[in-house]
Amino acid sequence: CEKAKKNDGKVACSFNSNTVTSIYTKLNDEEEASMENKLLLERYTHVEADPHCPANCKCDGGNCTRKFHNGRQKYIANVGDIYIPPRPMWTHALSRDYDEMEKVMEVLPDEVMHVRHYQGHWYLNKNLLDTIDELERPLSPTIMNVVRKNIQTTPDLNAIYTTAKRSSVSQGIEWINPVDRPPKYHHDLL
């Protein structure tokens, strides 16, 4: 973002939000047993290969874009520079002038910023779960070790995490009801 500001005068950066579709895969008993000592975040290793259109992208004659509203994008504004004049970004309620946004915002590729979106009810509600391709995108083991250590060494965090894990429908996220999915969605969790 700083590079885009320095080189092109951009005042903010935008990036995609990738739906973690593996949250809906109901694990078999062997897979559940293998997850016993793993974090919930380690359970969900796969994201949508392509966004669901038209909800999360815009296609025009086979040319698809995920920019701004058309990509369920998030953004970061450079608020530390007091010389940038205040202005609305492309938020849902404030601005949909994409030509203007192209001038002031840089869209970062997934390789630079990877945001995970743990909700994909549209896939489930529209019976699309078994039609999507998934990409393996596990979180870094280094990051997972930091999270694990923080849970283990912080009593309040440990209590919250333990309660959430116990109250879930499966051993996964409590508000998600996983469903039976074909074998190609069971990604070697063992």
Side-chain angles (χ1 to χ4, degrees):
C1 226
E2 187 61 31
K3 183 177 174 184
K5 177 180 178 267
K6 183 179 176 183
N7 294 345
D8 301 316
K10 306 284 181 148
V11 298
C13 290
S14 180
F15 42 89
N16 294 326
S17 174
N18 299 281
T19 299
V20 179
T21 47
S22 55
I23 62 171
Y24 286 104
T25 304
K26 184 177 183 179
L27 303 183
N28 62 39
D29 291 342
E30 187 179 10
E31 290 168 326
E32 282 288 0
S34 75
M35 296 306 299
E36 185 175 337
N37 295 318
K38 293 186 180 181
L39 296 171
L40 288 173
L41 291 172
E42 292 173 300
R43 178 187 190 102
Y44 309 120
T45 59
H46 286 69
V47 300
E48 60 191 349
D50 293 302
H52 173 61
C53 291
N56 300 317
C57 69
K58 180 179 181 180
C59 293
D60 183 19
N63 184 18
C64 299
T65 180
R66 292 189 70 185
K67 289 184 179 181
F68 311 123
H69 290 89
N70 298 319
R72 197 180 55 246
Q73 290 192 323
K74 312 300 184 233
Y75 72 91
I76 298 173
N78 186 337
V79 296
D81 186 339
I82 61 172
Y83 296 103
I84 296 174
R87 55 164 296 120
M89 292 295 137
W90 62 263
T91 64
H92 290 281
L94 297 177
S95 178
R96 289 184 185 248
D97 183 345
Y98 296 153
D99 291 334
E100 177 65 14
M101 292 303 101
E102 290 277 358
K103 295 175 189 171
V104 298
M105 296 184 77
E106 180 75 19
V107 178
L108 300 176
D110 285 347
E111 296 77 38
V112 173
M113 178 69 88
H114 180 80
V115 174
R116 294 164 63 100
H117 181 80
Y118 290 90
Q119 184 59 281
H121 57 275
W122 55 87
Y123 285 121
L124 183 62
N125 296 344
K126 295 183 179 194
N127 294 318
L128 296 170
L129 274 177
D130 295 344
T131 67
I132 60 173
D133 290 324
E134 294 181 333
L135 296 174
E136 185 175 16
R137 293 289 187 266
L139 294 170
S140 155
T142 303
I143 292 172
M144 291 297 89
N145 288 335
V146 170
V147 171
R148 185 177 287 103
K149 183 179 178 185
N150 285 339
I151 290 171
Q152 291 169 346
T153 60
T154 309
D156 290 343
L157 187 55
N158 189 300
I160 292 167
Y161 185 79
T162 301
T163 300
K165 199 166 179 181
R166 279 193 200 127
S167 66
S168 61
V169 173
S170 70
Q171 293 302 309
I173 297 176
E174 63 185 287
W175 65 88
I176 299 295
N177 287 315
V179 296
D180 290 319
R181 296 178 74 196
K184 75 175 190 173
Y185 297 106
H186 292 261
H187 302 287
D188 192 27
L189 294 172
L190 306 176

